[in-house]
């Protein structure tokens, strides 16, 4: 993707160099525009060295404007497939919200038809000022995306909101624009369950499993990037991905309740969570004392989330399940597909700890038509994109068959 990276006059400008390099490493072309104040914090040479592209200054007599500077702003505005302003000062937010075009960056922002993404950074008092918040609301009303700043110790020594978001989070927000939108998924609502469930025995002990939730989180990202509006129902401790409504749950019962609250408005479900089949019959309010000799733990069944949602679905809703099997994978998965009336089951081979954690994995899709060619082995982010592409093709085929 062709990205214009606007860099304005805040101390966090030094972090834009890291972002520029990350984006170039991800295969993007990046051209930087420095404002006059931005150029006091970071040099054009740093940015052009990292990007291999010219770095533009605020005016034609600064930076690397070309032969015909009078129309450079229009060329850049057309060249851009995304304009990201990182860090964004209160000043540039105010200018862009009000249509001012007093230097190259503000002019490109006004002239471009590309999506615009802001990562503001400023002192807490500035950030909380109603003028800044009103400007942000206005920019959002234009369809611009905002990666909100976090809280922390700021360059001014104060502690509070206004710290530039993590560079990895900003890169993720940019990535959403780079991925091609898929017709079958764009604008669709998809519920994704992920991670382990935790069934408490007492305040310190619990029953859980080896799932980390990484596959479901990567699937949530891949569906989001394809244009879907994703609701992620997440067990475990992984951080919520940017741009995804994440509902945190602990037990199987909480996961079911969260899914049921979303299901009526959803177009599809991807059930990637590793849900406990049993929970302790009793959860002790106080830490249980050790007894003499052997003890018996009575377990009862947890609700079957996938079967419950599949049974309650409308004909236009689709359901994908996961099967983690250590033997006879395909037979067990085909039986699960049939019993629960699913559209597809993605089969993991969990022998020897494969499938859990961040390493590469393989998934074999099973549909009512039989087993499909395995996807992978791939790292989980790429595997998730392969699943989404495969499912998009199935949806397109199902659609044309109707
Ligand atoms: C040392 C220093 C740090 C600054 N940091 C910020 C900041 O983090 N955020 C901000 O909105 N303005 C900050 N400012 C103020 C801006 O640099 C000033 O508003 C400038 O006019 C912004 O111009 P620009 O938006 O064209 O880059 C800072 C100023 C100085 C001198």
């Amino acid at each position: 993707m062709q990205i214009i990276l606007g860099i304005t006059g805040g101390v966090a400008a030094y972090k834009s160099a890291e972002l520029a390099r990350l984006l170039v490493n991800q295969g993007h072309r990046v051209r930087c525009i420095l404002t006059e104040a931005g150029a006091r914090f970071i040099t054009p040479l740093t940015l052009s060295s990292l990007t291999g592209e010219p770095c533009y200054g605020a005016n034609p007599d600064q930076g690397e404007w070309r032969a015909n500077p009078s129309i450079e702003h229009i060329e850049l505005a057309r060249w851009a497939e995304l304009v990201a302003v990182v860090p964004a000062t209160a000043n540039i937010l105010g200018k862009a919200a009000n249509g001012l075009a007093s230097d190259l960056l503000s002019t490109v922002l006004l002239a471009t038809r590309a999506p615009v993404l802001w990562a503001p950074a400023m002192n807490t008092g500035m950030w909380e000022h109603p003028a800044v918040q009103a400007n942000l609301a206005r920019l959002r009303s234009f369809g611009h995306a905002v990666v909100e700043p976090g809280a922390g110790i700021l360059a001014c020594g104060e502690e509070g909101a206004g710290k530039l978001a993590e560079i990895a989070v900003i890169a993720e927000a940019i990535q959403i624009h780079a991925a091609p939108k898929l017709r079958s998924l764009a604008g669709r609502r998809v519920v994704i369950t992920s991670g382990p469930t935790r069934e408490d025995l007492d305040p310190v002990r619990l029953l859980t499993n080896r799932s980390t939730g990484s596959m479901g989180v990567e699937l949530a990202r891949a569906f989001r990037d394809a244009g879907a509006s994703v609701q992620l129902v997440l067990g475990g401790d992984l951080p919520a991905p940017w741009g995804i409504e994440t509902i945190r749950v602990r037990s199987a019962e909480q996961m079911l309740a969260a899914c049921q609250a979303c299901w009526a408005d959803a177009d599809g479900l991807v059930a990637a969570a590793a849900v406990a089949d049993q929970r302790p019959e009793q959860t002790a309010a106080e830490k249980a004392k050790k007894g003499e000799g052997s003890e018996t733990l009575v377990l009862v069944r947890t609700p079957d989330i996938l079967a419950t949602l599949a049974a309650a679905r409308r004909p236009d809703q689709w359901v994908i399940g996961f099967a983690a099997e250590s033997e006879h994978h395909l037979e067990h998965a085909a039986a699960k597909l049939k019993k629960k009336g699913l559209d597809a089951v993605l089969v993991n081979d969990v022998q020897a700890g494969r499938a859990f954690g961040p390493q590469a994995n393989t998934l074999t899709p099973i549909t009512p038509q039989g087993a499909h060619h395995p996807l992978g082995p791939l790292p989980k982010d790429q595997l998730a994109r392969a699943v989404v592409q495969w499912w998009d093709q199935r949806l397109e085929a199902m659609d044309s068959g109707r």
Side-chain angles (χ1 to χ4, degrees), residues 8-11 35 37-38 41 88-92 95 103 121-123 126:
T8 61
V11 180
T35 61
F41 290 91
T89 54
N91 180 56
I92 190 73
K95 288 206 294 196
D103 62 3
M122 62 198 73
N123 158 277
M126 294 167 80

Side-chain angles (χ1 to χ4, degrees), residues 122-133:
M122 62 198 73
N123 158 277
T124 309
M126 294 167 80
W127 172 249
E128 289 175 350
H129 196 286
V132 171
Q133 291 302 319

